[in-house]
Amino acid sequence: MKVTLREKKIKDGKRSLYLDFYPAVLQPGTGKATRREFLKLYVYERPKTEVERSHNKETRLLAQNIAARRQLEIQAGNYGFLAKSKKGDDFLKYFRAVTEKHNSSKSAKQTWENAYLHFFDFAGGRCTFERLNQKLVEDFKSYLLTCHTRRSSKQTLKPSSAASYFQCFCAALSEAVKAKHLTENPAENVKAIKTTESAREYLTIEELQLLAKTECRMPIVLRRAALFSALTGMRFSDISRLRWENVRETGGTKHFVEFKIQKTGENLTLPISAEAFELLGSRGAPSDQIFLDLEYGAMTSVFIARWTLAAGITKTITFHSFRHTFATAQLTLGTDLYTVSKMLGHKSIQKTQIYARIVDEKKREAADKITLK
């Protein structure tokens, strides 16, 4: 690689100084291969005074120093964001290795896997460390906001999914900086993908009680599991994996469940009410699955819709709505936010605050019902 200082005649009797690279290099700002880097330094083509001649001498000396520094940077593999990695090293291979490390839970593993696969598609199956720059990061961000899911060519990514995948990609870049593959993180000045808070549909306590009394033609195991979720706040993924060995007894009539949350991989000890315990049915062997043959399929939402309509409830209720029902009901009845957060298995109380805002809105609606007019 050779760096040569050259001059180009421009208007107003001046010459522009630039560097000539051979062969071409990838510019940090654009990620495109180029032979030139204009230094934004100018000299007089025909200096007439001592001041102009002095200016030319100092400016050319400065340009020569920059050229020498560029030569050293390129030889050391440190031009732009590139550092330890040699020319041609594959960032995708590094991203794959980072992805395989993030397997603390099934959910986290799948998110990282999807992030890697989308970047693989975006990069065309190969991306050297030299290509990494702010423009590429911005382009990948735009790609995620418009691309289709990997399952369907007709369905675009949800903003929340795009935000999660972009966060994983930026985290991989951060790890590359820590490992000294990069001198800077090209995503440092790129804003994260913003997502709007999704609506959390839930049942009021009165609606839940009405639903519990309503008979409907649906798998009894699904009905039991849905009501169990409303009384415990447990997710479908955890309820479907629940075994009798997870159910413990204390004080004779008091029960609790101990299980590992599938989404986060965290262990949770959750007290359950007597009504929730009754929904579990007759105790079996420790290894027996409690909600046998409980599967989340295409008909699950249909069954729940028929059930809620039979109860005269017109809200769009999904299985996960029963978890939302538990959270809002607990806060409505006065349970503090910290306790509800722990019962839901949230890692931070910020995730639980959305339910507090929902309850505050219901209080506002209640307050507005009393009027002197």
Side-chain angles (χ1 to χ4, degrees):
M1 172 66 69
K2 186 177 180 180
V3 181
T4 305
L5 178 62
R6 299 191 187 281
E7 299 181 8
K8 179 181 179 181
K9 184 178 179 179
I10 57 176
K11 61 182 181 179
D12 298 330
K14 292 183 180 180
R15 301 179 72 85
S16 173
L17 304 185
Y18 69 94
L19 301 181
D20 186 333
F21 301 102
Y22 184 80
V25 297
L26 296 177
Q27 286 282 28
T30 64
K32 296 180 180 179
T34 181
R35 286 279 310 275
R36 295 175 178 81
E37 178 187 356
F38 286 92
L39 302 179
K40 297 182 180 180
L41 297 175
Y42 308 96
V43 295
Y44 295 97
E45 186 174 14
R46 294 186 177 87
K48 299 177 181 179
T49 66
E50 186 61 34
V51 173
E52 291 180 348
R53 284 190 287 271
S54 179
H55 167 83
N56 283 9
K57 182 178 179 180
E58 292 176 1
T59 302
R60 287 194 174 99
L61 182 60
L62 175 59
Q64 289 168 4
N65 289 335
I66 294 174
R69 188 165 68 247
R70 288 287 185 270
Q71 185 75 62
L72 292 174
E73 287 176 347
I74 292 171
Q75 288 175 349
N78 193 27
Y79 183 56
F81 295 114
L82 195 60
K84 181 179 175 182
S85 300
K86 297 178 182 178
K87 183 178 179 180
D89 277 5
D90 192 2
F91 169 71
L92 271 170
K93 185 177 180 181
Y94 178 79
F95 195 178
R96 173 83 266 176
V98 172
T99 297
E100 291 174 354
K101 288 195 305 181
H102 289 78
N103 57 0
S104 58
S105 67
K106 184 177 180 180
S107 176
K109 184 178 180 180
Q110 189 62 58
T111 300
W112 273 88
E113 180 71 20
N114 286 336
Y116 167 78
L117 291 173
H118 277 291
F119 185 72
F120 183 95
D121 292 343
F122 165 79
R126 179 167 173 77
C127 178
T128 60
F129 278 92
E130 294 134 300
R131 283 184 62 189
L132 297 174
N133 53 67
Q134 184 172 330
K135 184 177 184 302
L136 182 137
V137 175
E138 293 277 12
D139 288 346
F140 181 53
K141 175 182 173 181
S142 299
Y143 171 84
L144 288 174
L145 290 170
T146 57
C147 73
H148 295 101
T149 65
R150 294 187 59 80
R151 291 184 178 181
S152 172
S153 59
K154 297 180 180 179
Q155 184 178 359
T156 56
L157 280 180
K158 294 180 179 179
S160 58
S161 297
S164 296
Y165 301 158
F166 187 65
Q167 186 177 13
C168 290
F169 171 67
C170 293
L173 293 175
S174 296
E175 293 198 26
V177 173
K178 291 179 182 178
K180 300 190 183 303
H181 290 290
L182 299 171
T183 58
E184 301 176 51
N185 189 340
E188 185 175 352
N189 296 317
V190 181
K191 293 182 180 180
I193 295 176
K194 290 185 178 181
T195 57
T196 55
E197 225 169 45
S198 58
R200 284 168 165 77
E201 194 63 272
Y202 65 96
L203 298 168
T204 64
I205 296 174
E206 293 76 14
E207 288 171 334
L208 179 62
Q209 293 170 343
L210 178 62
L211 193 64
K213 297 176 184 177
T214 302
E215 295 297 330
C216 183
R217 293 179 60 185
M218 65 184 297
I220 188 65
V221 66
L222 178 60
R223 186 177 186 277
R224 284 171 47 228
L227 294 175
F228 185 78
S229 177
L231 294 177
T232 63
M234 289 179 63
R235 298 179 178 87
F236 183 94
S237 57
D238 296 321
I239 292 175
S240 63
R241 295 165 59 243
L242 205 61
R243 300 183 183 277
W244 281 109
E245 62 189 1
N246 301 119
V247 182
R248 307 296 175 85
E249 184 178 303
T250 178
T253 58
K254 304 293 185 182
H255 297 88
F256 61 92
V257 291
E258 289 183 336
F259 62 99
K260 179 179 286 188
I261 302 174
Q262 186 180 34
K263 183 176 181 178
T264 64
E266 298 287 322
N267 292 315
L268 181 64
T269 298
L270 182 66
I272 62 174
S273 66
E275 287 187 358
F277 180 73
E278 288 179 7
L279 288 168
L280 298 179
S282 302
R283 182 178 285 275
S287 60
D288 285 353
Q289 188 176 347
I290 295 177
F291 294 95
L292 193 63
D293 298 328
L294 179 63
E295 296 181 0
Y296 201 99
M299 287 299 294
T300 302
S301 297
V302 176
F303 285 132
I304 293 176
R306 290 174 181 172
W307 186 23
T308 52
L309 283 173
I313 300 169
T314 57
K315 295 177 179 178
T316 303
I317 300 298
T318 64
F319 193 96
H320 204 65
S321 298
F322 293 102
R323 176 173 165 86
H324 300 325
T325 297
F326 170 83
T328 52
Q330 287 287 353
L331 291 170
T332 301
L333 294 171
T335 307
D336 65 273
L337 193 64
Y338 178 81
T339 300
V340 175
S341 180
K342 291 299 179 184
M343 296 181 78
L344 291 172
H346 286 166
K347 286 187 175 182
S348 67
I349 201 169
Q350 282 76 19
K351 289 187 176 181
T352 321
Q353 285 178 332
I354 175 62
Y355 299 109
R357 288 194 286 272
I358 291 173
V359 173
D360 286 343
E361 289 173 7
K362 299 302 292 182
K363 288 179 180 178
R364 168 53 55 194
E365 291 175 10
D368 289 340
K369 289 180 181 178
I370 301 176
T371 176
L372 298 178
K373 295 182 180 179

